[in-house]
């Protein structure tokens, strides 16, 4: 009890009181509260507040205030909605322009990356016609999907690294459209196992390829794409392989070697599986390079900011 009063309660309420006057000081809470107990250390994926605090009504208020402070300069909700609507329109127009000027046959799907964004922002984007949303963290995805389960045609993409012991969370995620990040046979097997308990169609999946060779990124090496794809097709009946995914390196050279590598991986996978290249999607391109990715044939771009 003395440890809790000294290490948690005192510093927390001091900074909580201070934060009501100046929000950026909330950032100090994470550094000040030093908790070794697993239960106390667990955090709400939406607010990044400790779980034993996140059920307080003001936690959601502070979450919204955080978003306004950093992204909208304390705009009204109406202005906030207009900003989201405007950003979506800009991205969709730029995609359409790229498709038209390059005379491309397919307009890629836009996945709005909503990680760390409040559900209110997702609702606004949904009301503007956006349906596909991407999340990097499984707990955050599951929580948001449950809260927004009333939006029956919303489509969730899991685009982050998944630990096999958390695969079961996928099975309880409403409106999960696809998992884009199968990066090992172990993960494929684990996801297939949990999806056996889900009624309906197999789960769409993509194999993630680490085309840049960066150690900080997940994904199999290009030469491992075919073996992993074969494993999914032959040994995972509750999964449906629909594409390949990669994260391009930042500041890539003009010839876009990562996108070219993914194109080659698709050729090899399709040849091995006896498929047409049109049967396998390419998820490549993010906020900084999605127009280049479209030029190279991406069918699925993941954009979170302008």
């Amino acid at each position: 009890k003395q440890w809790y009063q000294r290490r948690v309660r005192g510093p927390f309420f001091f900074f909580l009181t201070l934060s009501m006057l100046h929000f950026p000081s909330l950032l100090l809470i994470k550094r000040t509260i030093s908790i070794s107990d697993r239960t106390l250390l667990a955090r709400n994926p939406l607010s990044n507040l400790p779980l034993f605090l996140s059920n307080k009504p003001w936690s959601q208020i502070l979450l919204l205030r955080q978003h306004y402070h950093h992204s909208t300069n304390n705009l009204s909700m109406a202005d906030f909605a207009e900003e989201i609507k405007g950003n979506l329109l800009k991205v969709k127009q730029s995609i359409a322009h790229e498709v038209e000027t390059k005379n491309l046959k397919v307009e890629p799907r836009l996945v709005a990356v909503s990680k760390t964004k409040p559900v209110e922002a997702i609702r606004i984007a949904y009301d503007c016609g956006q349906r596909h949303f991407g999340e990097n963290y499984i707990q955050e995805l599951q929580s948001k999907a449950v809260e927004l389960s009333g939006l029956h045609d919303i489509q969730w993409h899991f685009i982050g690294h998944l630990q096999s012991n958390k695969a079961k969370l996928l099975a309880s995620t409403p409106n999960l459209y696809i998992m884009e990040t199968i990066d090992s046979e172990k993960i494929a097997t684990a996801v297939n196992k949990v999806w056996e308990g889900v009624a309906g169609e197999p789960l769409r999946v993509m194999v993630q390829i680490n085309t840049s060779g960066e150690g900080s990124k997940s994904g199999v090496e290009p030469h491992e794409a075919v073996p992993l794809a074969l494993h999914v097709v032959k040994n995972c009946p509750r999964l449906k392989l629909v594409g390949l995914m990669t994260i391009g390196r930042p500041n890539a050279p003009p010839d876009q070697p990562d996108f070219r590598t993914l194109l080659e991986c698709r050729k090899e996978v399709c040849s091995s599986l006896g498929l047409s290249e049109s049967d396998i999607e390419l998820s490549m391109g993010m906020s900084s390079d999605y127009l280049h990715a479209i030029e190279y044939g991406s069918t699925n771009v993941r954009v979170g900011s302008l």
Side-chain angles (χ1 to χ4, degrees), residues 81-97:
E82 283 300 312
E83 181 177 350
I84 291 176
K85 182 179 179 180
N87 288 342
L88 270 175
L89 182 61
K90 288 178 184 178
V91 174
K92 290 180 178 180
Q93 287 178 337
S94 65
I95 290 175
H97 181 265

Side-chain angles (χ1 to χ4, degrees), residues 186-202:
K186 180 180 179 181
I187 290 297
T189 301
V191 174
N192 180 75
K193 183 176 180 180
V194 300
W195 210 254
E196 289 176 349
V198 179
E201 297 295 320

Side-chain angles (χ1 to χ4, degrees), residues 209-224:
I209 315 295
N210 187 346
T211 54
S212 65
E214 297 172 88
S216 60
K217 293 179 180 177
S218 300
V220 296
E221 294 183 19
H223 72 272
E224 298 174 314

Side-chain angles (χ1 to χ4, degrees), residues 7-303:
R7 299 295 300 278
V8 178
R9 190 178 66 180
F12 173 73
F13 283 107
F14 170 76
F15 285 106
L16 173 60
T17 303
L18 179 62
S19 70
M20 294 304 179
L21 300 176
H22 184 58
F23 180 79
S25 61
L26 272 180
L27 299 176
L28 296 176
I29 295 176
K30 184 176 180 181
R31 300 175 183 175
T32 304
I33 302 177
S34 177
I35 309 172
S36 60
D37 181 81
R38 276 179 168 269
T39 302
L40 295 180
L41 188 59
R43 291 180 176 272
N44 184 304
L46 298 182
S47 62
N48 199 34
L49 291 171
L51 288 178
F52 70 97
L53 298 169
S54 62
N55 62 346
K56 304 298 183 184
W58 47 261
S59 66
Q60 289 299 318
I61 296 173
L62 294 181
L63 174 63
L64 290 174
R65 191 172 172 186
Q66 178 188 34
H67 186 77
Y68 294 154
H69 177 80
H70 291 292
S71 304
T72 63
N73 195 26
N74 294 318
L75 298 177
S76 68
M77 182 59 76
D79 291 335
F80 183 36
E82 283 300 312
E83 181 177 350
I84 291 176
K85 182 179 179 180
N87 288 342
L88 270 175
L89 182 61
K90 288 178 184 178
V91 174
K92 290 180 178 180
Q93 287 178 337
S94 65
I95 290 175
H97 181 265
E98 186 72 13
V99 170
E100 182 179 359
T101 55
K102 298 297 191 300
N103 195 27
L104 303 176
K105 296 180 180 179
V106 179
E107 182 168 323
R109 176 191 305 111
L110 171 61
V111 179
V113 179
S114 51
K115 66 175 182 179
T116 74
K117 301 299 188 296
V119 293
E120 286 78 7
I122 299 172
R123 287 185 187 275
I124 292 171
Y126 177 90
D127 290 340
C128 293
Q130 181 63 27
R131 291 297 180 266
H132 291 265
F133 296 87
E135 291 287 340
N136 291 65
Y137 308 111
I138 185 59
Q139 294 97 330
E140 184 175 357
L141 166 64
Q142 206 270 344
S143 177
K144 287 179 176 178
V146 169
E147 186 167 352
L148 296 173
S149 58
L151 307 180
H152 298 297
D153 59 343
I154 195 170
Q155 307 290 331
W156 292 102
H157 294 231
F158 182 65
I159 58 175
H161 176 68
L162 181 71
Q163 295 176 326
S164 58
N165 63 347
K166 295 182 180 179
K168 61 183 179 181
L169 291 176
L170 286 175
S172 59
T173 300
N175 301 312
L176 180 63
Y177 179 77
I178 190 171
M179 176 181 177
E180 297 193 19
T181 50
I182 295 291
D183 57 8
S184 69
E185 291 187 4
K186 180 180 179 181
I187 290 297
T189 301
V191 174
N192 180 75
K193 183 176 180 180
V194 300
W195 210 254
E196 289 176 349
V198 179
E201 297 295 320
L203 175 65
R204 300 175 187 87
V205 298
M206 293 184 179
V207 168
Q208 182 177 2
I209 315 295
N210 187 346
T211 54
S212 65
E214 297 172 88
S216 60
K217 293 179 180 177
S218 300
V220 296
E221 294 183 19
H223 72 272
E224 298 174 314
V226 170
L228 182 51
L230 286 171
H231 174 76
V232 171
V233 172
K234 293 183 177 181
N235 302 319
C236 302
R238 292 297 294 155
L239 304 183
K240 180 180 181 181
L241 179 67
V242 299
L244 306 178
M245 177 267 210
T246 196
I247 301 173
R249 74 193 72 188
N251 303 314
D255 63 342
Q256 299 295 332
D258 299 326
F259 299 157
R260 290 180 180 274
T261 297
L262 198 66
L263 287 170
E264 289 300 317
C265 288
R266 180 171 67 173
K267 288 182 180 179
E268 295 174 2
V269 167
C270 289
S271 176
S272 298
L273 297 177
L275 299 173
S276 168
E277 290 187 20
S278 61
D279 294 329
I280 296 297
E281 292 191 39
L282 296 177
S283 178
M284 57 186 191
M286 301 192 299
S287 299
S288 62
D289 59 5
Y290 69 94
L291 293 179
H292 294 301
I294 293 171
E295 182 180 355
Y296 279 86
S298 176
T299 59
N300 189 85
V301 293
R302 313 177 302 273
V303 181

